[in-house]
Amino acid sequence: MFLTNMLEGMEYEIISGKDVDISNIQYDSRKAERGTLFVCIQGFKNDGHDFIKNAVEKEAAAILCEKEVACDENVTVVKVKDTRVALAKVAANFYQHPSKSLNLIGVTGTNGKTTTTYLLEAILKEEKRKTGIIGTIENKIGDKVLKTERTTPESLELQQLFDEMKKSDVTDVLMEVSSHSLELSRVEGLFFQVGIFTNLTQDHLDFHGTMENYINAKSKLFRMCKYGIVNVDDVYSTKIINSSTCEIKTVGIDSNCDFKAENIKNAPEGVSFSIKIDGKDEFFKLQIPGKFTVYNALGVIVASLSMGISLETIRVALENYSGVAGRIQKVPTNKDFSVIVDYAHTPDGLENVLKSVREFTQNKLITVFGCGGDRDKTKRPIMGNIAGVWSDYCIITSDNPRTENPADIINQVEVGVMDSSCEYEKFTDRREAIKRAIAIAKNGDIVVIAGKGHENYQIFANETIHFDDTEEVKKALAGGTLNETN
């Protein structure tokens, strides 16, 4: 495709060179080759403008930049105001806007995004429609699973994924839309049929700086969709609604709203509730326990209704759905106590899980958890206090320490647990922490292992190792335990 066609709909200035035929787009100079349009992105660590020479040496045909640059006169140089926005637009033009033939459903919020997309997938499969999923755990095209490195891919990879989905006859795409992707223009130019807001709690402040910036980023989705579905029980919902440009439907449990869940019954085997639809009480039940499951289901039900899916199809799909790996995942124990693995890694996420589990805990609730390194430090004592308030016993341990000292992170979490007066222990080794929890669990206890959920790795300063909480639980159940003293 010729460069001028790729730049259609954009403001730009040709600094040097002429219109050229482009065969591919790259923002990593190491992947440049003959015919490449190299887009200079300013990243968190590196600036693509510093790698123009590398791209030219690999015979890139054109450079897209936002700074003044010196370049070989045989290379076309185009300057734009913002190369992140430009990358999204040229990628969409290059792949001929594949998303326009797809029904996009975007889900944003701190917690519940993954479960919401998988519940929607179950309903659409019941409707015999072919779906695509873009999210935290994996990307999917029908039943084909693709690896993912981030919740929402960079705009170039996103357009490539849409193109592959279109060619595979996907009709509906269920997409987790992260605050990073909204702030960094990864979803620039997309239009969503439905946008869903689950909730907002403290997270990613290492990137956004303030909660105001965080909610402003989330709000952008509701200026990019036809219908918006908003959980009005969340304190930030008013901001979402007031800044939206789409038709809004509200859902909730405790507030007045368009679709309110009532008659909620929570049990270890799942949750049931009713919603008044067209003046009639409609009942639903799911195999996933917890109040937060009701919130996720509310958004899903209203989104499905907006797509013309019948209540019966929705009801059957939700009732048969068994859950997402690492989200309130029950690990078989063959013991007289239970073990649950969950991804909860934010204050609100941890509180939601522990409050829900607390409702059906017969004896003690034992919580194993930690906080990630190189991330928002202010939430560490907050999460410690939440764990202490809702648990009978806490075991503080490592999550993904990254470049930080694991013991330092644990000590910061400990401050919050101490304020709660809950008994606790500390283990820098997550494997030993899990073994300890299994060793002390007794009849009627529930052990919640929070923070990593579906992740099968642990990130340290100099290495990333294989680590799966579910696997470690099974190993601990099969044998090794720790002594009673730490």
Side-chain angles (χ1 to χ4, degrees):
M1 179 181 288
F2 278 94
L3 180 59
T4 52
N5 293 329
M6 294 171 63
L7 295 168
E8 188 176 336
M10 298 170 52
E11 292 186 7
Y12 62 91
E13 179 185 0
I14 298 178
I15 303 299
S16 64
K18 59 183 181 180
D19 197 9
V20 287
D21 194 13
I22 299 297
S23 59
N24 67 91
I25 307 168
Q26 299 293 345
Y27 55 87
D28 183 340
S29 64
R30 294 167 296 184
K31 298 178 180 178
E33 58 188 22
R34 178 173 292 186
T36 290
L37 169 63
F38 177 63
V39 184
C40 305
I41 299 294
Q42 292 194 70
F44 299 117
K45 296 181 180 178
N46 299 308
D47 185 345
H49 294 81
D50 297 333
F51 298 90
I52 290 175
K53 182 180 178 181
N54 298 28
V56 171
E57 288 175 350
K58 294 192 173 186
E59 301 186 62
I63 306 297
L64 191 61
C65 61
E66 62 183 52
K67 297 180 180 179
E68 295 295 333
V69 299
C71 196
D72 189 305
E73 62 182 14
N74 295 319
V75 179
T76 297
V77 178
V78 177
K79 186 180 178 185
V80 294
K81 183 179 179 180
D82 187 328
T83 50
R84 285 192 179 276
V85 172
L87 176 63
K89 290 182 176 180
V90 296
N93 286 336
F94 185 78
Y95 288 100
Q96 300 179 36
H97 298 273
S99 66
K100 288 185 176 180
S101 64
L102 302 168
N103 179 39
L104 291 186
I105 310 296
V107 186
T108 199
T110 307
N111 302 305
K113 296 188 297 295
T114 300
T115 298
T116 297
T117 57
Y118 278 82
L119 287 171
L120 280 166
E121 180 195 39
I123 291 169
L124 288 163
K125 280 188 172 182
E126 187 72 23
E127 191 78 351
K128 309 301 181 188
R129 286 154 73 163
K130 188 171 184 179
T131 60
I133 283 185
I134 299 173
T136 305
I137 297 179
E138 61 196 4
N139 295 331
K140 292 178 70 178
I141 300 176
D143 293 325
K144 179 183 177 182
V145 176
L146 308 171
K147 288 185 178 180
T148 182
E149 294 182 358
R150 49 167 66 111
T151 298
T152 311
E154 185 54 82
S155 57
L156 175 60
E157 285 76 20
L158 195 54
Q159 292 296 335
Q160 291 170 340
L161 193 53
F162 287 146
D163 184 55
E164 189 174 349
M165 288 178 174
K166 179 182 176 181
K167 291 174 180 175
S168 300
D169 298 320
V170 164
T171 56
D172 306 86
V173 178
L174 316 169
M175 182 175 171
E176 295 184 46
V177 186
S178 68
S179 57
H180 288 71
S181 72
L182 289 159
E183 191 66 24
L184 297 174
S185 303
R186 293 177 194 157
V187 293
E188 178 74 26
L190 297 182
F191 182 76
F192 296 84
Q193 183 70 14
V194 181
I196 301 174
F197 172 70
T198 58
N199 52 59
L200 197 81
T201 186
Q202 184 173 331
D203 197 19
H204 303 307
L205 295 192
D206 51 303
F207 174 73
H208 294 289
T210 66
M211 287 298 290
E212 183 178 4
N213 291 339
Y214 187 26
I215 187 60
N216 285 341
K218 293 289 189 186
S219 298
K220 292 179 181 180
L221 176 62
F222 299 89
R223 298 190 288 275
M224 303 169 64
C225 56
K226 184 176 181 180
Y227 300 107
I229 299 166
V230 177
N231 167 19
V232 291
D233 285 351
D234 189 273
V235 295
Y236 294 98
S237 60
T238 302
K239 174 73 174 179
I240 293 283
I241 294 169
N242 289 344
S243 63
S244 69
T245 57
C246 61
E247 181 182 335
I248 295 289
K249 294 291 184 183
T250 56
V251 299
I253 297 173
D254 303 317
S255 308
N256 291 327
C257 52
D258 297 319
F259 296 87
K260 185 174 184 178
E262 299 177 307
N263 303 308
I264 299 170
K265 295 180 181 178
N266 191 26
E269 60 272 13
V271 67
S272 63
F273 60 94
S274 68
I275 315 173
K276 196 171 291 295
I277 300 174
D278 295 330
K280 180 183 177 183
D281 285 333
E282 301 288 351
F283 288 84
F284 302 88
K285 59 181 179 179
L286 294 90
Q287 298 179 44
I288 314 165
K291 187 176 181 180
F292 56 91
T293 297
V294 179
Y295 282 118
N296 293 336
L298 281 169
V300 164
I301 291 165
V302 178
S304 300
L305 290 173
S306 76
M307 290 186 278
I309 299 174
S310 72
L311 277 170
E312 191 55 32
T313 296
I314 296 169
R315 204 179 339 260
V316 169
L318 294 182
E319 188 171 335
N320 291 335
Y321 186 69
S322 58
V324 182
R327 268 65 171 180
I328 301 289
Q329 180 181 353
K330 300 172 190 173
V331 183
T333 65
N334 292 321
K335 304 286 185 180
D336 50 13
F337 59 84
S338 301
V339 178
I340 292 172
V341 170
D342 192 84
Y343 187 52
H345 60 286
T346 66
D348 185 63
L350 185 62
E351 184 171 20
N352 282 338
V353 169
L354 296 182
K355 284 173 68 174
S356 294
V357 174
R358 178 90 267 170
E359 290 181 27
F360 50 78
T361 302
Q362 297 175 1
N363 192 18
K364 289 185 176 182
L365 174 54
I366 302 167
T367 303
V368 180
F369 76 108
C371 289
D374 299 337
R375 298 293 186 266
D376 178 16
K377 296 182 180 181
T378 63
K379 72 180 184 181
R380 293 171 184 172
I382 297 172
M383 289 182 64
N385 187 257
I386 287 169
V389 166
W390 292 101
S391 307
D392 297 295
Y393 200 83
C394 288
I395 300 177
I396 315 170
T397 188
S398 296
D399 192 284
N400 290 317
R402 299 182 177 86
T403 64
E404 289 193 62
N405 183 330
D408 291 343
I409 300 173
I410 289 170
N411 290 339
Q412 291 167 32
V413 174
E414 181 184 15
V415 173
V417 179
M418 290 174 66
D419 285 344
S420 73
S421 300
C422 180
E423 291 187 73
Y424 69 93
E425 294 180 65
K426 301 186 294 182
F427 290 90
T428 55
D429 187 322
R430 191 173 180 90
R431 177 176 290 111
E432 296 303 307
I434 291 172
K435 288 170 67 176
R436 175 62 173 167
I438 299 302
I440 64 175
K442 294 181 170 55
N443 183 28
D445 290 350
I446 297 182
V447 177
V448 172
I449 303 171
K452 295 183 63 61
H454 65 280
E455 293 180 352
N456 60 2
Y457 55 83
Q458 195 171 16
I459 306 171
F460 295 91
N462 300 315
E463 63 175 348
T464 298
I465 65 170
H466 177 81
F467 194 97
D468 185 306
D469 283 353
T470 302
E471 290 178 6
E472 296 304 325
V473 169
K474 291 176 180 177
K475 290 177 186 176
L477 288 165
T481 59
L482 296 174
N483 294 326
E484 285 298 312
T485 57
N486 182 8

